[in-house]
Amino acid sequence: MASLSRLVAALSVVAVLPSVAAAQSLDPSVVGDASGPVRAVASFALVLASGGVVLLRSEDRVHRALDALLARPSRAVPYGLLAYVLVLAVGLYGLSQLIRVGVVSTVLGRAAAILLVVAVVFVTGFGFLVVGTLLTDLQGRRRPRYGLLIGAALSAACWAVLPLLGGVVVSAVVASFGIGGATRRWFHAERTVERERAN
């Protein structure tokens, strides 16, 4: 088990470096022009890296997200899509403000764009990690480390088998299912706090 953790950590570091370099160009045509196998390998590496970071920092977060998912699985996808909408809304709002003040083409603008890409990658990686862990749980024992490998393989399969648009849609739906439970709990916890403040 310890050797698997070290392997995940090493692969996470190796996978993050090319993803950051690729994010620096921020040219969407790079993804569109890549072949299915190249997109599959990149997706596997990004999910492994981002999910591995989450897993190494807090395995309990994965267990809580899975418990929240299992509590109401039918509501997971809409709440997961809400997480993507929130991340994109915040990121695009920040970029629009940088455009307004005329610094979007500077290092600050590129850093903000890279941060948005990294945030989307982490949301996706976490979603696939939870889905992979769910599949291990259905086999009788919850194993997030193996779930990470399964989730990364699922993400790769989405991109290897499907065309670009299909890969985007299926990846977003699968990842949304994974993060939906945690998003639902967070969203309703925030609403409860606001209600208490209003009273």
Side-chain angles (χ1 to χ4, degrees), residues 46-48 50-51 54 84 120-130 148 175:
L46 290 172
V47 168
L48 192 66
S50 56
V54 171
Y84 276 110
V120 170
V121 166
F122 266 90
V123 168
T124 305
F126 184 62
F128 274 102
L129 168 60
V130 173
L148 176 60

Side-chain angles (χ1 to χ4, degrees), residues 11 15 39-49 148-149 152-156 159:
L11 289 174
R39 289 194 297 258
V41 169
S43 180
F44 183 88
L46 290 172
V47 168
L48 192 66
L148 176 60
L149 295 173
L154 282 174
S155 74
W159 292 101

Side-chain angles (χ1 to χ4, degrees), residues 152-174:
L154 282 174
S155 74
C158 292
W159 292 101
V161 174
L162 299 169
L164 179 63
L165 183 58
V168 169
V169 170
V170 172
S171 289
V173 169
V174 172

Side-chain angles (χ1 to χ4, degrees), residues 177-194:
F177 180 71
I179 60 173
T183 305
R184 180 180 55 79
R185 279 199 178 162
W186 171 81
F187 181 72
H188 290 293
E190 288 295 311
R191 289 177 61 193
T192 303
V193 170
E194 288 174 7

